[in-house]
Amino acid sequence: MSDRYTETYARSIEDPSGFWLKAARAIDWDVFPTVGHDERGWFPDGRLNTCYNAVDRHVIAGNGDRVALIYDSPVTGTQQRFTFAELQHEVALVAGMLAGRGIAKGDRVIIYMPMLPETIFAMLACARIGAIHSVVFGGFAPAELAKRIDDAEPRLVLAASCGIEPSRNVHYKPLLDEAIRLSTHKPEACILFQRPQEPGTLVEGRDFDWAELRAIAEPVGCVSVAASDPLYILYTSGTTGAPKGVVRDNGGNAVALAWSMANIYGVKPGEVFWAASDVGWVVGHSYIAYGPLILGCTTVLYEGKPVGTPDAGAFWRVIREHDVSVFFTAPTAIRAIRRDDPEGEYLARDGTGKLRVLFLAGERADPDTLHWSAEKLGMPVIDHWWQTELGWPALATCVGLERSETLFGSAGHPVPGFEFAVLDQEHQPLDRDEIGELVIKMPLPPGCLPTLWRNDEGYREAYLARHPGYYTAGDAGFFDGDGRAHVMSRIDDIINVAGHRLSTAGIEQIVAAHPAVAECAVVGAADALKGMVPVALVVRKSRVAMDDKQLTQEIVRRVRDELGPVAAFHDAAVVDMLPKTRSGKILRAAIRDMADGKPAKIPATIEDPAAIDLARAALERIGFPRG
Ligand code: COA
Ligand code: AMP
């Protein structure tokens, strides 16, 4: 632990308002806040514009010729670069396009678009005029998009006609039409960005062509918003089928991201930062769109995969070609690369240019992946921990403040601003090395969610009610003798599938709704590539004439159609009964253990011990455990 980190951390905890007001100087404000934090939240009397901070101010400072955005798309064979001046021009026009449709401050705009420069323009354009965007990931099915439309009640949807996955085109336009058919709230209009790979059909009177509107749009400037005004809503999996609308405010977000870029990631303005995620996730919001641009870095927008586009050398090519200094991805992506290139031959052959550090997050970084990447890259590999709700890392090795080193098994120290505790279920603090619930003392630092969209009660219930005075992160872990955190598992039914956060309860609801299913249990089972995959045990209703194969195929299809391909739900097994206690509680932990090939803890209160053998045999039949 360096003195610099220790001293910075201590200041952030002793005087949070003072600490973050000082950090706020990295941002250009219309009205500089006089108050750091009070009961109204962070920077309650500050005013600013996030797009101005990400774009315009760099042009005004004379850096208009510096590259802001590199679009690298192996799936279309395209590369494009936009300087800050070009980005300003594009964003001002898209903002003009929105304003031309009457969109103004506070209006919601859903962005249903893949990894295109226009997606970044759209996000920044909303920020420019004070509209609140909600980006929806393309791997979700129409029903999920419909839930988000109903909750956010957007006036407008900005969409692309298709996304491009290596194996197929994602039919965004028909999916969007279906979602609007399913939703109760109907957006006034949709603006469609037509991609040549698969143009979409416009619905007369509702849909408009992006290029046509852009051609007649007048550029629009930045409006001043309150620091507490929402910048975006991002939906994430909760413990039910209903997604939670995480709200991000303008002021806290800008300050936290600027601080994190310099102090956690250790980058400087003008350097190239690449987060290989998707704009549909929080990593894409914070570290593809806003964070790098606010600091004046070049950001990379990569429309491709770690492998198969065209090979396991793709990430290293991007890093080399675009002079990436700091790189961020999910452990699952490294596992995919290692699977295809175990000896790291692409790396050995071509190198990684200016890269100096790799950051991993999204799921627990397993020691094998850490060892492999640290050895093959020959540089520090930093596991760090955060979540959609927090918006930026809460546990990390702060490369800007302390020596960067690979830690095997730990996600690092608490980041300045985050005061952690490990509690038992009776709210009692646990000792070092004891596993308990990871909680963060309230108030959270800037940039973290102030609430859920139009659901203050849901926010309190989900995050604050469990341990008074603390934010419950939903993860279990411990701090070791050196004060480093080890994040071990979730305390709820959230699972992480290839870095994507899903609720098994949400999948269970879909499976249970199949007319032939009497009851079911869905758990997350270990998977060598994706970390975890969902698997279902299903009990058929009596007198249902459907063979097991047909039933499981229908269930798999349902989850894909209702939740989306991103769930990677491919496995279900039919059993005569589920392992349960005598009071009827399904033994999900035991099922999970069996799916992972571990000895299952069977309580004395089990209803029928034979259910255990049936479940184990059923899981084996469909290939579990698979490690
Ligand atoms: N739009 C539409 N569909 C998408 C999608 C998107 N943006 N992203 C993924 N999908 C689909 C895929 O096409 C696939 O569908 P299929 O069942 O028809 O093949 C399904 O969702 C699962 O995709 P994916 O998770 O990408 O699995 P994969 O086996 O194709 O690839 C990895 C495995 C590890 C290479 C891939 O998951 C990956 O790159 N993960 C990194 C994730 C990440 O960066 N997360 C952000 C956290 S920081
Ligand atoms: P998301 O909101 O999609 O970013 O998912 C957040 C969740 O992913 C966290 O609550 C953790 O369960 C998990 N997670 C993210 N990063 C890590 C990490 N470095 N180590 C362990 N779990 C992680």
Side-chain angles (χ1 to χ4, degrees), residues 296-321:
C297 293
T298 304
T299 187
V300 180
L301 185 72
Y302 175 73
E303 189 182 29
K305 299 272 172 178
V307 292
T309 58
D311 53 38
F315 275 11
W316 320 131
R317 173 196 60 81
V318 172
I319 287 169
R320 224 176 27 253
E321 252 178 64

Side-chain angles (χ1 to χ4, degrees), residues 236 281-283 331 360-365 383-389 395 411 473-475 487-490 494 496 499-502:
T236 189
W281 307 117
V282 69
V283 179
L360 296 176
E363 55 173 326
R364 181 172 160 75
D383 178 19
H384 64 327
W385 175 93
W386 49 301
Q387 35 181 213
T388 307
E389 290 84 345
L395 292 168
D475 284 41
V487 184
M488 306 308 288
S489 60
R490 291 286 304 190
I494 300 283
N496 244 289
H500 309 314
R501 173 170 157 181
L502 300 168

